[in-house]
Amino acid sequence: TARVQDDLRRLRAYVGGGSPLLIRVYAQPTAQFPNRMPQLFYDGIRELGFWVVRDIYFDPDFMASDAVTRGKARIDAVLAEVEAAGAFDRIFSWEIGNEFAANDGAAISALQNFLAEMRAHIQTRMAEPGREGFSKWVTWASWPPSDPLRTGCSPSPLFGCNPILVPSLDYLSFNAYSYDPERMRDHQAGPVTGTPYAGYLAALSAFYEIGRAHV
């Protein structure tokens, strides 16, 4: 509770301006803290007028025989937690939270199918009576080796280039790390900060704008 109160205190410093603030919360449960986002957090977010991208933490083994069953159970637990906090009105979208590693064609296909199953379950549960007016958008934040713009890839099976696009998602997300030189080094200065990182973000956005135009 003290940590949540301190986080809200810090967030109040961002209040102002005409644009709403969107916060992604990576609420990985632990044995000590199975509910990382109590009602206090959502009440504070509502007071500030902010929105939440609510991560749902999954077991990383998406290829396990019971992965879909366990994934649906995890979704149900998070939706129940948010509902108990009376916080569906603060959810902008639901994010399938893990940076799943898929290192070959079979694994990529399995991951795409798993994410599609998880999205379908979220949307089914959010269409239930009393929930249908709230967000059922779903996204997934891929990890760096799945970035379509990654350059200078390592030959290792873990950190090679494995671009992953999941058409079933409602919008695209990427974990964009400014300290990852493999993704930065081929990009020119960007339009905002004049850094290669800003250039990379502009190129990533342009890449998907072009792709969307050809869908």
Side-chain angles (χ1 to χ4, degrees):
T1 299
R3 174 63 183 270
V4 170
Q5 289 175 331
D6 187 54
D7 287 343
L8 291 172
R9 177 185 62 79
R10 295 170 186 272
L11 289 171
R12 288 188 183 96
Y14 291 94
V15 175
S19 299
L21 189 65
L22 184 65
I23 300 172
R24 175 192 173 193
V25 292
Y26 187 64
Q28 180 177 351
T30 66
Q32 184 179 6
F33 300 107
N35 179 0
R36 302 293 295 275
M37 297 288 112
Q39 182 174 345
L40 171 67
F41 168 77
Y42 292 108
D43 289 346
I45 291 296
R46 185 181 297 105
E47 175 190 345
L48 294 171
F50 295 169
W51 295 87
V52 172
V53 176
R54 179 60 162 90
D55 270 27
I56 303 175
Y57 184 79
F58 293 84
D59 186 300
D61 188 4
F62 61 89
M63 297 185 74
S65 60
D66 63 342
V68 170
T69 299
R70 288 185 289 108
K72 290 180 178 180
R74 184 62 196 141
I75 289 168
D76 293 344
V78 171
L79 296 187
E81 173 193 309
V82 175
E83 186 170 44
F88 280 142
D89 66 309
R90 289 296 91 199
I91 302 299
F92 176 81
S93 65
W94 308 92
E95 182 164 271
I96 301 173
N98 298 55
E99 293 181 318
F100 295 109
N103 303 315
D104 56 39
I108 290 173
S109 178
L111 176 56
Q112 290 171 328
N113 291 335
F114 175 77
L115 295 175
E117 290 251 24
M118 295 304 97
R119 174 186 180 269
H121 187 65
I122 291 171
Q123 296 209 324
T124 296
R125 294 303 315 274
M126 289 306 297
E128 293 175 357
R131 296 179 175 180
E132 64 271 23
F134 300 112
S135 176
K136 59 180 182 179
W137 286 3
V138 181
T139 190
W140 166 63
S142 68
W143 77 320
S146 300
D147 185 336
L149 301 185
R150 192 175 179 85
T151 59
C153 300
S154 163
S156 80
L158 184 60
F159 296 106
C161 290
N162 301 293
I164 299 175
L165 180 63
V166 185
S168 64
L169 299 176
D170 295 295
Y171 68 93
L172 298 172
S173 301
F174 285 93
N175 284 323
Y177 298 116
S178 61
Y179 52 80
D180 183 359
E182 296 296 341
R183 298 195 293 174
M184 305 300 116
R185 66 184 195 178
D186 288 348
H187 295 286
Q188 303 301 313
V192 179
T193 62
T195 63
Y197 179 59
Y200 153 76
L201 293 179
L204 187 63
S205 178
F207 177 89
Y208 282 106
E209 285 296 325
I210 293 171
R212 185 168 61 181
H214 289 82
V215 171

